[in-house]
Amino acid sequence: LNPAHPDEVVSEYAQADRDTARAAVEAARRAQPDWARRPVGQRMEILDRIGSTILGRTEELAVLLAREEGKLLTEARGEVTRAGQTFRYYAHQLLQPQGEVYASTRSGVHAEVRRRPLGVVGVITPWNYPLAIPAWKIAPALAYGNTVVLKPAELVTASAGELARIITAAGLPPGVFNLVMGAGRVVGEELLTSTGIDGISFTGGTTTGTHVAHQCITHGNKRFQLEMGGKNPLVVLDDADLAVAVRCALDGSFFSTGQRCTASSRLIVQAGIHDRFVEALATATGALRVGDPLDPASQLGPVVSPEQLAQNLDYVRIGRTEGATVVSGGTHQPDDGQFMRPTLFAGARNDMRLAREEIFGPVACIIRVDDPDEAIDVANDTDYGLSAGIVTTSLSAAERFKRDARAGIVNVNLPTAGTELHLPFGGTGASNHGPREQGGYARDFYSVPVTCYTGW
């Protein structure tokens, strides 16, 4: 259903049962040895073809994504472009060195490290980036000789279906890529417990991620890669450029309707700039235009589902109960769809649920601190550790933050949300487990190093 117009059906799909998921795993198992032996040139051509096809259909796919997920059309175009570029990037990664040669400590011995595919990979993806996240998992998996079974989120099956059509039309042998749509408790559980799966790459909530890890260890000790939640801090120091700070907070907290694991949900502001920052950000937040994602005038789209909207509004109630003050938004916008006014709280404390639990919506809270030392302490006082940012004109403060912030991604004078496909993505603590995603670092999950010794 279209979250901007809930009466509008975007697409229909068939839900798989466990037998269907099992058949997909078996197909991937049969196809994997031959796919791994395919010449690099063939794999490269197929991946490049997938990426080029996606890029050639940017507008069509972006409109579909915007209608299904609620993302602004401009943001949807960016996501489609990212997905296409990701496939093309991994096509060309295949021309990079794939092994290592070492000097042996023994006379007459040659030592090298080769890489072999992990095998059959189960890919479980969320609804907030229905093309980009599957792309940055599927592309390296295929590039390094694995076969794939994709289980997308049920809210974004139309996007997953179009991506699958593009992939399978690019010349892949049967069974190399498989799409199985359905409920997590059915399809997802089959992937987690199947002895035919060698690894699981998962992006989603931390609670579900913990379950994924337990099932993988229990059922065959599968390799697993977990990208989970975030409660990301943006620190604003007294010396910050106020306009830059407001721009970073507005973008990081509310764009994509706050439905990003890298969103700035905790704004940690030093006392000297605090009051001016609160006033300026509240004004900017109140001026944001919430509306249909296909309308060029809209700056925020709808919340993805009625359940997510209800959860967001419940956190607004919780924040008020805890003693924080709403200085902008906090309501369901009275339109036809699942629209919510972006919500900014002031007077929050870092021990509030508002500041500790991932909301995954357009809700941010401001926490006042006295000095940079306290700002770093508060920023690091979280179970998560995905992304962190600081706004400052001090080089030393910026360098200290890059050194001391406990996060996998650190931004200076930039929003906390925003990554590049050739650089590693991932966090610490409850935000991540396993090797990083994206760039050359993806090889660490999708391939296995084999140390080889040869005597002469």
Side-chain angles (χ1 to χ4, degrees):
L1 303 176
N2 184 340
H5 307 284
D7 293 335
E8 178 188 331
V9 176
V10 176
S11 69
E12 296 184 0
Y13 73 100
Q15 291 201 62
D17 58 17
R18 292 191 77 134
D19 287 342
T20 308
R22 195 172 297 121
V25 173
E26 291 169 356
R29 192 97 235 147
R30 289 192 301 270
Q32 197 276 322
D34 176 69
W35 176 245
R37 288 192 293 266
R38 292 285 174 119
V40 164
Q42 288 187 20
R43 280 186 266 152
M44 178 180 172
E45 288 176 6
I46 290 172
L47 289 170
D48 188 72
R49 192 175 301 128
I50 294 168
S52 296
T53 302
I54 292 171
L55 293 172
R57 294 177 57 187
T58 296
E59 191 66 18
E60 171 196 350
L61 293 172
V63 170
L64 176 65
L65 197 163
R67 290 177 59 223
E68 179 176 53
E69 195 268 349
K71 189 166 294 183
L72 293 182
L73 184 57
T74 53
E75 293 182 329
R77 290 190 188 109
E79 180 174 344
V80 175
T81 300
R82 175 69 167 267
Q85 290 174 341
T86 297
F87 276 97
R88 298 185 71 179
Y89 171 84
Y90 283 105
H92 295 282
Q93 275 292 102
L94 287 171
L95 298 181
Q96 300 303 310
Q98 301 298 313
E100 304 156 27
V101 176
Y102 291 86
S104 174
T105 58
R106 293 175 286 175
S107 177
V109 174
H110 174 80
E112 61 180 319
V113 176
R114 296 187 176 190
R115 291 269 176 173
R116 65 170 174 82
L118 177 59
V120 179
V121 178
V123 171
I124 301 174
T125 55
W127 49 259
N128 62 326
Y129 284 90
L131 290 177
I133 291 179
W136 77 50
K137 295 176 185 291
I138 296 166
L142 296 178
Y144 297 124
N146 304 278
T147 53
V148 172
V149 180
L150 168 65
K151 182 259 182 272
E154 292 175 88
L155 290 171
V156 289
T157 49
S159 296
E162 286 307 306
L163 179 62
R165 290 183 181 95
I166 291 170
I167 292 172
T168 54
L172 285 174
V176 172
F177 173 79
N178 307 270
L179 170 67
V180 188
M181 303 194 203
R185 64 184 180 277
V186 178
V187 174
E189 282 302 301
E190 181 60 33
L191 299 186
L192 298 182
T193 58
S194 171
T195 57
I197 294 283
D198 298 295
I200 294 286
S201 182
F202 166 84
T203 298
T206 300
T207 301
T208 305
T210 301
H211 175 73
V212 169
H214 178 267
Q215 293 293 73
C216 286
I217 292 170
T218 303
H219 298 276
N221 199 29
K222 299 177 182 66
R223 180 180 288 194
F224 55 92
Q225 177 186 56
L226 310 177
E227 289 298 340
M228 300 176 285
K231 196 66 182 175
N232 309 293
L234 177 70
V235 169
V236 179
L237 296 185
D238 281 348
D239 62 9
D241 181 310
L242 182 61
V244 172
V246 170
R247 186 185 74 242
C248 289
L250 202 69
D251 182 318
S253 300
F254 301 127
F255 289 178
S256 296
T257 320
Q259 296 174 155
R260 302 185 283 194
C261 57
T262 52
S264 309
S265 50
R266 294 185 299 143
L267 308 174
I268 301 167
V269 184
Q270 195 174 352
I273 199 173
H274 176 273
D275 291 352
R276 289 183 293 133
F277 177 80
V278 171
E279 181 180 3
L281 183 58
T283 299
T285 301
L288 288 174
R289 296 185 297 274
V290 180
D292 190 312
L294 298 180
D295 183 347
S298 298
Q299 293 174 291
L300 265 73
V303 175
V304 71
S305 69
E307 293 79 12
Q308 185 67 45
L309 176 61
Q311 176 178 294
N312 295 349
L313 294 173
D314 192 47
Y315 270 105
V316 173
R317 178 193 61 79
I318 290 169
R320 285 189 167 114
T321 301
E322 290 179 313
T325 302
V326 174
V327 292
S328 185
T331 59
H332 177 201
Q333 183 167 299
D335 291 326
D336 292 336
Q338 291 144 200
F339 297 103
M340 178 180 177
R341 290 300 310 169
T343 303
L344 181 65
F345 279 92
R349 302 185 314 274
N350 205 50
D351 60 352
M352 292 177 173
R353 289 182 61 188
L354 186 67
R356 305 215 60 90
E357 299 175 9
E358 185 177 39
I359 299 172
F360 219 69
V363 181
C365 62
I366 299 173
I367 302 168
R368 180 174 179 150
V369 295
D370 290 328
D371 53 53
D373 289 340
E374 186 183 4
I376 291 176
D377 288 344
V378 172
N380 289 337
D381 181 17
T382 176
D383 295 332
Y384 299 99
L386 181 54
S387 186
I390 188 170
V391 184
T392 179
T393 55
S394 166
L395 179 61
S396 61
E399 289 301 312
R400 181 189 175 193
F401 191 78
K402 286 189 280 187
R403 181 193 69 208
D404 293 343
R406 288 200 292 271
I409 304 166
V410 177
N411 294 274
V412 178
N413 296 330
L414 291 168
T416 59
T419 60
E420 299 182 26
L421 62 86
H422 62 300
L423 298 174
F425 179 88
T428 62
S431 293
N432 170 269
H433 183 91
R436 292 289 193 258
E437 295 194 289
Q438 302 192 131
Y441 287 78
R443 187 180 68 167
D444 293 338
F445 179 74
Y446 294 106
S447 67
V448 178
V450 180
T451 304
C452 303
Y453 299 103
T454 304
W456 302 108

